[in-house]
Amino acid sequence: MSPEQWTRPETEGTTGPPAATAAKPTREQVIAGLRATSEGGADLVQLLTPEGQRVEHPDFELDISTAQLRDLYRDMVLVRRADREGNALQRQGQLGIWVPLLGQEAAQIGAGRALQPQDMAFPSYREHGVAWCRGIDPTQLLGIFRGSDHGSWDPISTRFHLYTIVIGNQCLNATGYAMGQRFEGKVGDRNGEATMAFFGDGATSQGDVHEAMVWSAVYDAPVVFFCQNNQWAISEPLERQTRVPLYQRASGYGFPGIRVDGNDVLASLAVSRWALDECRQGNGPVLIEAFTYRMDAHTTSDDPTRYRLADEHEAWKLKDPIERLRVHLVRDHGVDQDFFDGVEAEADELAARFRDFCFNIPEPPPERMFSEVYAEETPQVAAQREAYLQYLAGFADEAMAGGVR
């Protein structure tokens, strides 16, 4: 084939860079992309419509009680409230930054509740809902964003790794961990172990994610790659990341890919359970694309009004994950207002406790940065700590001498 034949048909006869590499998408391009993908396409797995109507899917049955539905609703409401308080605390100068999850509660709670106690989860920096499902109190997240620690929970006991700031790196970590699960014979039946890695659509353009999928496929690693496609990688739309739907990329690596309605907590739960079970039985890996939307900024240092259309944001408001479950509970399960009032009261209590904890986070002592660097302290780290403490003590001596004078 000659170089002239490489031109894709839709670009023949045009000049300038293709749309995917243009400096800025046109308004028409963004609207067209929204209309083409707003429902997630024909392959979207959905069990609860935006109107709160329960629907069936031939491949993903979900037998769930009213009590379990209420628990999922409570999870999403409390996680959203903690998230909103974190956002407010940053605006008040109490946190250096906050990473919102607004709009992605169903994807995270559905996946988080699908995890079994023996499974391992590797988050990025937005998985506050998954952390909640793994028993990590929201207050334990605050030190990261205040700059007082790198995470205050034990990844081994919680089976939830510390937050990963480097985009996509957690996928490599998860793949290595999952390879270890296979090498140690911890897969092969429904009681086996599995690993789940969480990342966004923008991370799929990172080499770390590609390498993780290559290695996981070659070694049949029991890892579920859970991509929260919230449509925007900071200020770049999905069309700048891929020419095909993200879940279809899995076929290139040789394992299954599936797209789920990320604003449907029931579908997210059912698909995640299936994927994790596949991995536990030795049939992994699996890629899940949770089709959702980032309703807030990428972080509190971002201004999404500079690159997103208001029409797009308003359209996704109608697909709110919490509201659709609330409607379903009222209409189909007869849940009364007392339940919802009780959840709101619990959310108020969590918010108050969250704020109080933030205001009173103790400043870490200077030697803290040298502790727990290694399982066993090395002579080099010990020498560095002592040198640093002597350096700081010199300032105190100078201040005292100045006072005497």
Coordinates of all heavy atoms in Angstrom, one line a residue, residues 50 53 63 121 248 308 313 351 357 369:
P50 N -32.6 6.4 33.4 CA -32.6 7.7 34.1 C -33.9 8.1 34.8 O -33.9 9.0 35.7 CB -32.2 8.7 33.0 CG -31.5 7.8 32.0 CD -32.1 6.5 32.1
Q53 N -36.7 3.6 36.1 CA -37.4 2.3 35.7 C -36.5 1.2 35.7 O -35.4 1.2 35.1 CB -38.1 2.5 34.4 CG -38.9 1.3 33.9 CD -39.5 1.4 32.5 OE1 -39.3 2.5 31.9 NE2 -40.1 0.4 32.0
D63 N -30.5 -9.9 41.4 CA -31.5 -10.2 42.4 C -31.1 -9.3 43.6 O -30.1 -9.7 44.3 CB -31.5 -11.7 42.7 CG -32.7 -12.0 43.7 OD1 -33.5 -11.1 43.9 OD2 -32.7 -13.1 44.3
A121 N -8.0 -3.5 45.6 CA -8.3 -2.3 44.7 C -7.2 -1.4 44.6 O -6.5 -1.1 45.6 CB -9.6 -1.6 45.2
Q248 N -14.0 -1.2 23.4 CA -13.6 -2.0 22.3 C -12.1 -2.2 22.2 O -11.7 -3.1 21.5 CB -14.2 -1.4 21.0 CG -15.7 -1.4 20.9 CD -16.2 -0.9 19.6 OE1 -15.4 -0.5 18.7 NE2 -17.5 -0.8 19.5
R308 N -16.2 23.5 28.4 CA -17.4 22.7 28.3 C -18.6 23.6 28.0 O -18.7 24.7 28.5 CB -17.6 21.8 29.5 CG -16.6 20.7 29.8 CD -17.1 19.7 30.7 NE -17.7 20.2 32.0 CZ -17.8 19.5 33.1 NH1 -17.2 18.3 33.1 NH2 -18.3 20.0 34.2
H313 N -23.6 19.9 30.1 CA -23.7 19.7 31.6 C -25.2 19.6 32.0 O -25.5 18.7 32.8 CB -23.1 21.0 32.3 CG -23.0 20.8 33.8 ND1 -24.1 21.3 34.6 CD2 -22.1 20.3 34.6 CE1 -23.7 21.0 35.9 NE2 -22.5 20.5 35.9
A351 N -20.9 15.4 57.5 CA -20.3 16.6 57.1 C -19.7 17.4 58.2 O -18.6 18.0 58.1 CB -21.4 17.5 56.3
F357 N -12.9 17.5 61.7 CA -11.6 16.8 61.6 C -10.6 17.6 60.8 O -9.4 17.6 61.1 CB -11.9 15.4 60.9 CG -10.7 14.5 60.9 CD1 -10.4 13.6 62.0 CD2 -9.7 14.5 59.9 CE1 -9.3 12.8 62.0 CE2 -8.6 13.7 59.9 CZ -8.4 12.8 60.9
M369 N 8.5 12.7 57.8 CA 8.9 12.4 56.4 C 9.9 11.3 56.2 O 10.1 10.7 55.1 CB 9.4 13.7 55.7 CG 10.8 14.1 56.1 SD 11.3 15.5 55.1 CE 10.4 16.9 55.9

